[in-house]
PDB file of all heavy atoms in Angstrom:
ATOM      1  N   SER A 340     -15.839  75.958 -12.773  1.00 90.00           N
ATOM      2  CA  SER A 340     -15.488  76.786 -13.940  1.00 90.00           C
ATOM      3  C   SER A 340     -15.078  75.947 -15.149  1.00 90.00           C
ATOM      4  O   SER A 340     -14.770  76.483 -16.203  1.00 90.00           O
ATOM      5  CB  SER A 340     -14.363  77.735 -13.546  1.00 90.00           C
ATOM      6  OG  SER A 340     -13.311  76.983 -12.951  1.00 90.00           O
ATOM      7  N   GLY A 341     -15.035  74.619 -14.993  1.00 91.00           N
ATOM      8  CA  GLY A 341     -14.668  73.737 -16.109  1.00 91.00           C
ATOM      9  C   GLY A 341     -13.504  72.835 -15.742  1.00 91.00           C
ATOM     10  O   GLY A 341     -13.168  72.690 -14.564  1.00 91.00           O
ATOM     11  N   LEU A 342     -12.875  72.241 -16.771  1.00 93.00           N
ATOM     12  CA  LEU A 342     -11.755  71.318 -16.536  1.00 93.00           C
ATOM     13  C   LEU A 342     -10.470  72.089 -16.267  1.00 93.00           C
ATOM     14  O   LEU A 342     -10.232  73.125 -16.864  1.00 93.00           O
ATOM     15  CB  LEU A 342     -11.504  70.477 -17.782  1.00 93.00           C
ATOM     16  CG  LEU A 342     -12.427  69.314 -18.089  1.00 93.00           C
ATOM     17  CD1 LEU A 342     -11.843  68.493 -19.223  1.00 93.00           C
ATOM     18  CD2 LEU A 342     -12.657  68.445 -16.866  1.00 93.00           C
ATOM     19  N   CYS A 343      -9.649  71.588 -15.360  1.00 96.00           N
ATOM     20  CA  CYS A 343      -8.312  72.171 -15.224  1.00 96.00           C
ATOM     21  C   CYS A 343      -7.327  71.063 -14.871  1.00 96.00           C
ATOM     22  O   CYS A 343      -7.706  69.974 -14.440  1.00 96.00           O
ATOM     23  CB  CYS A 343      -8.281  73.317 -14.222  1.00 96.00           C
ATOM     24  SG  CYS A 343      -7.982  72.831 -12.548  1.00 96.00           S
ATOM     25  N   GLY A 344      -6.063  71.348 -15.097  1.00 98.00           N
ATOM     26  CA  GLY A 344      -5.022  70.355 -14.865  1.00 98.00           C
ATOM     27  C   GLY A 344      -4.431  70.465 -13.477  1.00 98.00           C
ATOM     28  O   GLY A 344      -4.946  71.169 -12.597  1.00 98.00           O
ATOM     29  N   ASP A 345      -3.314  69.762 -13.286  1.00 98.00           N
ATOM     30  CA  ASP A 345      -2.561  69.829 -12.028  1.00 98.00           C
ATOM     31  C   ASP A 345      -1.567  70.982 -12.051  1.00 98.00           C
ATOM     32  O   ASP A 345      -0.926  71.281 -11.044  1.00 98.00           O
ATOM     33  CB  ASP A 345      -1.782  68.521 -11.808  1.00 98.00           C
ATOM     34  CG  ASP A 345      -2.706  67.336 -11.573  1.00 98.00           C
ATOM     35  OD1 ASP A 345      -3.868  67.553 -11.191  1.00 98.00           O
ATOM     36  OD2 ASP A 345      -2.258  66.194 -11.780  1.00 98.00           O
ATOM     37  N   VAL A 346      -1.409  71.572 -13.235  1.00 98.00           N
ATOM     38  CA  VAL A 346      -0.476  72.687 -13.393  1.00 98.00           C
ATOM     39  C   VAL A 346      -1.290  73.959 -13.578  1.00 98.00           C
ATOM     40  O   VAL A 346      -2.314  73.960 -14.260  1.00 98.00           O
ATOM     41  CB  VAL A 346       0.420  72.435 -14.636  1.00 98.00           C
ATOM     42  CG1 VAL A 346       1.323  73.632 -14.907  1.00 98.00           C
ATOM     43  CG2 VAL A 346       1.249  71.161 -14.449  1.00 98.00           C
ATOM     44  N   ASP A 347      -0.828  75.023 -12.949  1.00 98.00           N
ATOM     45  CA  ASP A 347      -1.474  76.326 -13.141  1.00 98.00           C
ATOM     46  C   ASP A 347      -0.934  76.922 -14.444  1.00 98.00           C
ATOM     47  O   ASP A 347       0.141  77.515 -14.471  1.00 98.00           O
ATOM     48  CB  ASP A 347      -1.172  77.234 -11.948  1.00 98.00           C
ATOM     49  CG  ASP A 347      -1.747  78.624 -12.171  1.00 98.00           C
ATOM     50  OD1 ASP A 347      -2.831  78.730 -12.753  1.00 98.00           O
ATOM     51  OD2 ASP A 347      -1.069  79.598 -11.793  1.00 98.00           O
ATOM     52  N   PHE A 348      -1.689  76.719 -15.507  1.00 98.00           N
ATOM     53  CA  PHE A 348      -1.222  77.059 -16.861  1.00 98.00           C
ATOM     54  C   PHE A 348      -0.777  78.520 -16.953  1.00 98.00           C
ATOM     55  O   PHE A 348       0.272  78.824 -17.523  1.00 98.00           O
ATOM     56  CB  PHE A 348      -2.341  76.758 -17.866  1.00 98.00           C
ATOM     57  CG  PHE A 348      -1.914  76.869 -19.294  1.00 98.00           C
ATOM     58  CD1 PHE A 348      -1.408  75.766 -19.972  1.00 98.00           C
ATOM     59  CD2 PHE A 348      -2.002  78.080 -19.974  1.00 98.00           C
ATOM     60  CE1 PHE A 348      -0.992  75.865 -21.296  1.00 98.00           C
ATOM     61  CE2 PHE A 348      -1.581  78.188 -21.295  1.00 98.00           C
ATOM     62  CZ  PHE A 348      -1.082  77.079 -21.955  1.00 98.00           C
ATOM     63  N   GLU A 349      -1.574  79.412 -16.369  1.00 97.00           N
ATOM     64  CA  GLU A 349      -1.308  80.859 -16.495  1.00 97.00           C
ATOM     65  C   GLU A 349       0.085  81.234 -16.020  1.00 97.00           C
ATOM     66  O   GLU A 349       0.804  81.966 -16.684  1.00 97.00           O
ATOM     67  CB  GLU A 349      -2.336  81.652 -15.654  1.00 97.00           C
ATOM     68  CG  GLU A 349      -3.771  81.488 -16.108  1.00 97.00           C
ATOM     69  CD  GLU A 349      -3.982  81.971 -17.532  1.00 97.00           C
ATOM     70  OE1 GLU A 349      -3.479  83.056 -17.859  1.00 97.00           O
ATOM     71  OE2 GLU A 349      -4.620  81.236 -18.328  1.00 97.00           O
ATOM     72  N   SER A 350       0.459  80.714 -14.846  1.00 98.00           N
ATOM     73  CA  SER A 350       1.772  81.097 -14.304  1.00 98.00           C
ATOM     74  C   SER A 350       2.891  80.182 -14.800  1.00 98.00           C
ATOM     75  O   SER A 350       4.060  80.566 -14.800  1.00 98.00           O
ATOM     76  CB  SER A 350       1.736  81.100 -12.768  1.00 98.00           C
ATOM     77  OG  SER A 350       1.475  79.801 -12.284  1.00 98.00           O
ATOM     78  N   ALA A 351       2.537  78.982 -15.269  1.00 98.00           N
ATOM     79  CA  ALA A 351       3.573  78.035 -15.712  1.00 98.00           C
ATOM     80  C   ALA A 351       4.027  78.314 -17.148  1.00 98.00           C
ATOM     81  O   ALA A 351       5.215  78.199 -17.461  1.00 98.00           O
ATOM     82  CB  ALA A 351       3.057  76.598 -15.608  1.00 98.00           C
ATOM     83  N   ALA A 352       3.077  78.686 -18.006  1.00 98.00           N
ATOM     84  CA  ALA A 352       3.404  78.841 -19.433  1.00 98.00           C
ATOM     85  C   ALA A 352       4.516  79.871 -19.691  1.00 98.00           C
ATOM     86  O   ALA A 352       5.381  79.636 -20.531  1.00 98.00           O
ATOM     87  CB  ALA A 352       2.147  79.165 -20.231  1.00 98.00           C
ATOM     88  N   PRO A 353       4.546  80.996 -18.973  1.00 98.00           N
ATOM     89  CA  PRO A 353       5.629  81.954 -19.240  1.00 98.00           C
ATOM     90  C   PRO A 353       7.019  81.425 -18.843  1.00 98.00           C
ATOM     91  O   PRO A 353       8.031  81.919 -19.330  1.00 98.00           O
ATOM     92  CB  PRO A 353       5.256  83.168 -18.372  1.00 98.00           C
ATOM     93  CG  PRO A 353       3.811  83.016 -18.075  1.00 98.00           C
ATOM     94  CD  PRO A 353       3.544  81.550 -18.046  1.00 98.00           C
ATOM     95  N   VAL A 354       7.075  80.433 -17.963  1.00 98.00           N
ATOM     96  CA  VAL A 354       8.363  79.904 -17.488  1.00 98.00           C
ATOM     97  C   VAL A 354       8.798  78.695 -18.323  1.00 98.00           C
ATOM     98  O   VAL A 354       9.981  78.541 -18.657  1.00 98.00           O
ATOM     99  CB  VAL A 354       8.258  79.450 -16.001  1.00 98.00           C
ATOM    100  CG1 VAL A 354       9.628  79.075 -15.447  1.00 98.00           C
ATOM    101  CG2 VAL A 354       7.594  80.524 -15.151  1.00 98.00           C
ATOM    102  N   ALA A 355       7.831  77.843 -18.664  1.00 98.00           N
ATOM    103  CA  ALA A 355       8.156  76.575 -19.340  1.00 98.00           C
ATOM    104  C   ALA A 355       8.615  76.807 -20.776  1.00 98.00           C
ATOM    105  O   ALA A 355       8.346  77.854 -21.369  1.00 98.00           O
ATOM    106  CB  ALA A 355       6.916  75.672 -19.334  1.00 98.00           C
ATOM    107  N   GLY A 356       9.290  75.784 -21.333  1.00 98.00           N
ATOM    108  CA  GLY A 356       9.655  75.817 -22.747  1.00 98.00           C
ATOM    109  C   GLY A 356       8.555  75.199 -23.604  1.00 98.00           C
ATOM    110  O   GLY A 356       8.291  75.630 -24.723  1.00 98.00           O
ATOM    111  N   TYR A 357       7.908  74.182 -23.020  1.00 98.00           N
ATOM    112  CA  TYR A 357       6.807  73.475 -23.683  1.00 98.00           C
ATOM    113  C   TYR A 357       5.779  73.168 -22.606  1.00 98.00           C
ATOM    114  O   TYR A 357       6.145  72.871 -21.466  1.00 98.00           O
ATOM    115  CB  TYR A 357       7.260  72.135 -24.271  1.00 98.00           C
ATOM    116  CG  TYR A 357       8.355  72.247 -25.292  1.00 98.00           C
ATOM    117  CD1 TYR A 357       9.696  72.283 -24.903  1.00 98.00           C
ATOM    118  CD2 TYR A 357       8.055  72.291 -26.653  1.00 98.00           C
ATOM    119  CE1 TYR A 357      10.704  72.368 -25.844  1.00 98.00           C
ATOM    120  CE2 TYR A 357       9.051  72.384 -27.601  1.00 98.00           C
ATOM    121  CZ  TYR A 357      10.378  72.421 -27.190  1.00 98.00           C
ATOM    122  OH  TYR A 357      11.374  72.502 -28.121  1.00 98.00           O
ATOM    123  N   ILE A 358       4.505  73.167 -22.998  1.00 98.00           N
ATOM    124  CA  ILE A 358       3.475  72.826 -22.000  1.00 98.00           C
ATOM    125  C   ILE A 358       2.254  72.230 -22.703  1.00 98.00           C
ATOM    126  O   ILE A 358       1.931  72.625 -23.830  1.00 98.00           O
ATOM    127  CB  ILE A 358       3.098  74.075 -21.155  1.00 98.00           C
ATOM    128  CG1 ILE A 358       2.239  73.688 -19.950  1.00 98.00           C
ATOM    129  CG2 ILE A 358       2.397  75.146 -21.999  1.00 98.00           C
ATOM    130  CD1 ILE A 358       2.150  74.778 -18.883  1.00 98.00           C
ATOM    131  N   THR A 359       1.619  71.262 -22.038  1.00 98.00           N
ATOM    132  CA  THR A 359       0.367  70.712 -22.580  1.00 98.00           C
ATOM    133  C   THR A 359      -0.812  71.463 -21.975  1.00 98.00           C
ATOM    134  O   THR A 359      -0.816  71.736 -20.772  1.00 98.00           O
ATOM    135  CB  THR A 359       0.197  69.212 -22.234  1.00 98.00           C
ATOM    136  OG1 THR A 359       0.219  69.062 -20.810  1.00 98.00           O
ATOM    137  CG2 THR A 359       1.279  68.365 -22.856  1.00 98.00           C
ATOM    138  N   PRO A 360      -1.817  71.783 -22.774  1.00 98.00           N
ATOM    139  CA  PRO A 360      -3.026  72.385 -22.211  1.00 98.00           C
ATOM    140  C   PRO A 360      -3.941  71.308 -21.626  1.00 98.00           C
ATOM    141  O   PRO A 360      -3.800  70.135 -21.953  1.00 98.00           O
ATOM    142  CB  PRO A 360      -3.686  73.027 -23.433  1.00 98.00           C
ATOM    143  CG  PRO A 360      -3.234  72.190 -24.594  1.00 98.00           C
ATOM    144  CD  PRO A 360      -1.884  71.624 -24.236  1.00 98.00           C
ATOM    145  N   VAL A 361      -4.842  71.711 -20.773  1.00 98.00           N
ATOM    146  CA  VAL A 361      -5.925  70.837 -20.297  1.00 98.00           C
ATOM    147  C   VAL A 361      -7.224  71.616 -20.466  1.00 98.00           C
ATOM    148  O   VAL A 361      -7.365  72.692 -19.881  1.00 98.00           O
ATOM    149  CB  VAL A 361      -5.755  70.472 -18.795  1.00 98.00           C
ATOM    150  CG1 VAL A 361      -6.941  69.613 -18.330  1.00 98.00           C
ATOM    151  CG2 VAL A 361      -4.444  69.739 -18.563  1.00 98.00           C
ATOM    152  N   PRO A 362      -8.155  71.156 -21.275  1.00 96.00           N
ATOM    153  CA  PRO A 362      -8.093  69.940 -22.086  1.00 96.00           C
ATOM    154  C   PRO A 362      -7.273  70.160 -23.373  1.00 96.00           C
ATOM    155  O   PRO A 362      -6.853  71.284 -23.649  1.00 96.00           O
ATOM    156  CB  PRO A 362      -9.574  69.694 -22.407  1.00 96.00           C
ATOM    157  CG  PRO A 362     -10.212  71.047 -22.412  1.00 96.00           C
ATOM    158  CD  PRO A 362      -9.463  71.859 -21.374  1.00 96.00           C
ATOM    159  N   GLY A 363      -7.083  69.080 -24.121  1.00 97.00           N
ATOM    160  CA  GLY A 363      -6.433  69.198 -25.433  1.00 97.00           C
ATOM    161  C   GLY A 363      -4.962  68.822 -25.432  1.00 97.00           C
ATOM    162  O   GLY A 363      -4.262  69.030 -26.413  1.00 97.00           O
ATOM    163  N   GLY A 364      -4.482  68.257 -24.318  1.00 98.00           N
ATOM    164  CA  GLY A 364      -3.083  67.843 -24.254  1.00 98.00           C
ATOM    165  C   GLY A 364      -2.981  66.328 -24.214  1.00 98.00           C
ATOM    166  O   GLY A 364      -3.075  65.642 -25.238  1.00 98.00           O
ATOM    167  N   VAL A 365      -2.851  65.810 -22.998  1.00 98.00           N
ATOM    168  CA  VAL A 365      -2.645  64.367 -22.820  1.00 98.00           C
ATOM    169  C   VAL A 365      -3.929  63.556 -23.115  1.00 98.00           C
ATOM    170  O   VAL A 365      -3.858  62.453 -23.660  1.00 98.00           O
ATOM    171  CB  VAL A 365      -2.143  64.080 -21.381  1.00 98.00           C
ATOM    172  CG1 VAL A 365      -2.045  62.583 -21.114  1.00 98.00           C
ATOM    173  CG2 VAL A 365      -0.793  64.757 -21.153  1.00 98.00           C
TER     174      VAL A 365
END
Side-chain angles (χ1 to χ4, degrees):
S340 52
L342 283 190
C343 88
D345 293 339
V346 175
D347 176 36
F348 189 90
E349 297 299 315
S350 63
V354 188
Y357 301 86
I358 191 164
T359 58
V361 177
V365 175

